[in-house]
Structure formats: C-alpha cells, structure tokens
Amino acid sequence: MSKRKRIIAGNWKMNKTPSEASKFIKSLKPLVKSSRNEVVCAVPFTAIQTAITAARGSRIKIAAQNMHFEEKGAYTGEISGEMLRDMGVKYVIIGHSERRQYFGETDETVNKKVHAAFGYGLKPIICVGESLAQRDAGLTAELVRYQVKAALVGITAQQVSKAVIAYEPIWAIGTGRTATSAQAEEVCGIIRDTVKELYGRQYASAVRIQYGGSVKADNAAELFGMEDIDGGLVGGASLKLQDFATIATC
Ligand code: 13P
C-alpha cells in the first residue's frame, strides 16, 4: 500500500445548476463520510459558492475546472485564482484535454496556470494524456513526458509535491472505453518517473497521480489499486450520486 492519500475528484464539466449542485452535495455528504480518500467535486464556476456552502462540515472539497493565469484585468469572461481562493476553493483542474482541444489551451498556458494556481494557494490537478492516433503511433510515453515537463517548468520541488497529475487518455474520455489497469499503470508510472527525473525520488513519491477516462463504479477499485495510481478524475459517473459515492469510497 502506498502512503499517499487517494484523491477522487468528480469533474462535472458543464453540468448541474447551482441548486442541483447544492442538492447533490448534500446527498453525497453522508455517503462519503467514512471514506479514507480525499473527495473533491469540480463544479462549474456558477455552482462553486452554493457547493461550498452545501459541503460545510464534510470532507468534500470543492474545485474549479479552470482559471486564468493573470491576476486581474481586462480579460472578459475569465476567472482569477484570487477569486477562487476567496470563495474557499482548494483545487483547480488545469489543462483538461477538452480545454486543450476546444479552447486553445497549450502547454505554455497550462504552465502559466500552474504557476498562478500555486501563487494563490490552490492545488492544481494537471491533466495530460494522448489521443488514439498518438497512442497508435507509439508516441504515448514521449508525449506524456513532454506534457508533464512542460507543465512543471519553473515549479519548485515543494510545489510539485502538492500537485496532482491526472493521466487522461483522450480515447477513454466519455467513450466508455476505459484504459486497462495495466495500460493506466504503465503511463502513471512514466509520469512518476518523469517527476523523479526532474525533482528526485522523495518528491516523485509524494506527488499524487490520478487516472481518468471512463472510470466507473465497477472498475474504480482495480484501477486505484495499482501502485502508481492514487485515485481518479471522474467525468460522467461523478454526476450520478450512487456511482460517485461508490467510486469515492473505494
Ligand atoms: P469520463 O469519466 O466521462 O470518461 O470523463 C473523464 C474526464 O474527462 C474527467 O476529467
């Protein structure tokens, strides 16, 4: 058993209104009360405040799904790290493949956002992962190493030990096609090796690495039981109360 505390995060994506979020979190509270894992819900910006209020007195932490890297200013439609911290947000997802694919996120903006997150005391959940074409071309290891290194440029060892890195193969997201536990473990091991290369063994063994991509109630335990997998980033199944409770407590 690893000494790292498991972290199970639900990524709600663009789902649930503030009132739905409040109801969901209140119902989730008793179901995860005895979980040994860190339980996180990454809710839409509009639901953060009600989600935080609903989660009071529980072990559930609220995360944002994105943030801007600038401190403040003329960036219409954007949300800063300070705004999130002020509301009581603890984690922020950075560089999700949907943001890279649809909203122009690059390795460079991901790195800037990781710096900004730490600057505001937020812990980043940094997403990396290959497309099916990249996997088929044998590029997975090289690409994931590059994404990890690029995200961590200028980040200190102390900071990296507080970061979470999520391995999310794009071909497994929302497809129902989960990576096998061996495939997921292989890449999560590569991620830990990359952190070790950059910062040394001590910090590499502290960083938590999640698997994401069609995690479900019936495959979570096997995935999270792998040596280098310290929990999951869960999309679709995190919107269903019983399913997410099962995943969050396994
Ligand atoms: P699914 O669990 O719906 O495949 O989504 C995974 C994901 O993108 C989590 O960030």
Side-chain angles (χ1 to χ4, degrees):
M1 280 296 278
S2 94
K3 296 186 297 294
R4 294 178 294 271
K5 194 180 176 91
R6 255 182 211 171
I7 173 164
I8 318 294
N11 175 9
W12 289 9
K13 308 192 179 182
M14 196 171 74
N15 292 289
K16 297 196 194 291
T17 62
S19 31
E20 287 166 346
S22 175
K23 195 165 158 239
F24 184 94
I25 303 246
K26 282 180 187 158
S27 310
L28 182 65
K29 272 160 102 165
L31 305 181
V32 297
K33 207 170 148 199
S34 53
S35 173
R36 289 162 300 156
N37 308 324
E38 215 172 334
V39 181
V40 179
C41 291
V43 308
F45 288 134
T46 44
I48 288 175
Q49 197 68 75
T50 48
I52 286 176
T53 305
R56 271 201 193 114
S58 79
R59 57 191 307 108
I60 302 166
K61 297 193 175 101
I62 302 303
Q65 299 173 13
N66 181 34
M67 63 178 279
H68 194 50
F69 49 79
E70 292 292 349
E71 191 186 326
K72 60 167 77 165
Y75 301 100
T76 302
E78 291 294 327
I79 303 284
S80 74
E82 189 176 13
M83 294 170 189
L84 299 176
R85 179 181 60 182
D86 188 74
M87 283 193 291
V89 169
K90 300 293 179 209
Y91 286 93
V92 55
I93 298 175
I94 290 180
H96 190 281
S97 61
E98 287 152 15
R99 298 221 46 95
R100 294 180 191 249
Q101 198 178 338
Y102 306 133
F103 302 101
E105 294 257 355
T106 63
D107 289 319
E108 197 188 354
T109 57
V110 167
N111 177 244
K112 286 184 177 175
K113 289 181 179 194
V114 173
H115 278 274
F118 280 123
Y120 288 106
L122 303 166
K123 292 181 184 170
I125 299 176
I126 305 163
C127 301
V128 299
E130 82 288 1
S131 67
L132 189 57
Q134 289 163 334
R135 172 162 281 261
D136 288 345
L139 295 172
T140 302
E142 205 176 316
L143 179 87
V144 168
R145 274 183 197 283
Y146 182 82
Q147 287 178 325
V148 170
K149 288 183 183 176
L152 297 178
V153 170
I155 296 299
T156 67
Q158 289 300 335
Q159 289 171 328
V160 89
S161 62
K162 296 192 186 77
V164 177
I165 301 176
Y167 168 53
E168 296 209 310
I170 296 168
W171 47 271
I173 296 176
T175 59
R177 187 179 159 196
T178 318
T180 64
S181 51
Q183 283 174 323
E185 169 65 12
E186 185 189 6
V187 182
C188 290
I190 289 169
I191 292 171
R192 200 174 303 286
D193 267 356
T194 307
V195 176
K196 186 169 136 199
E197 228 175 82
L198 296 171
Y199 298 95
R201 182 184 301 274
Q202 183 194 342
Y203 295 101
S205 64
V207 68
R208 289 180 296 174
I209 302 173
Q210 295 174 316
Y211 167 78
S214 299
V215 172
K216 299 195 182 66
D218 62 7
N219 61 25
E222 185 185 332
L223 286 159
F224 303 166
M226 305 302 284
E227 176 66 27
D228 284 308
I229 303 180
D230 307 309
L233 187 54
V234 187
S238 76
L239 300 170
K240 298 178 198 144
L241 190 64
Q242 286 303 334
D243 289 19
F244 188 60
T246 303
I247 296 167
T249 49
C250 78

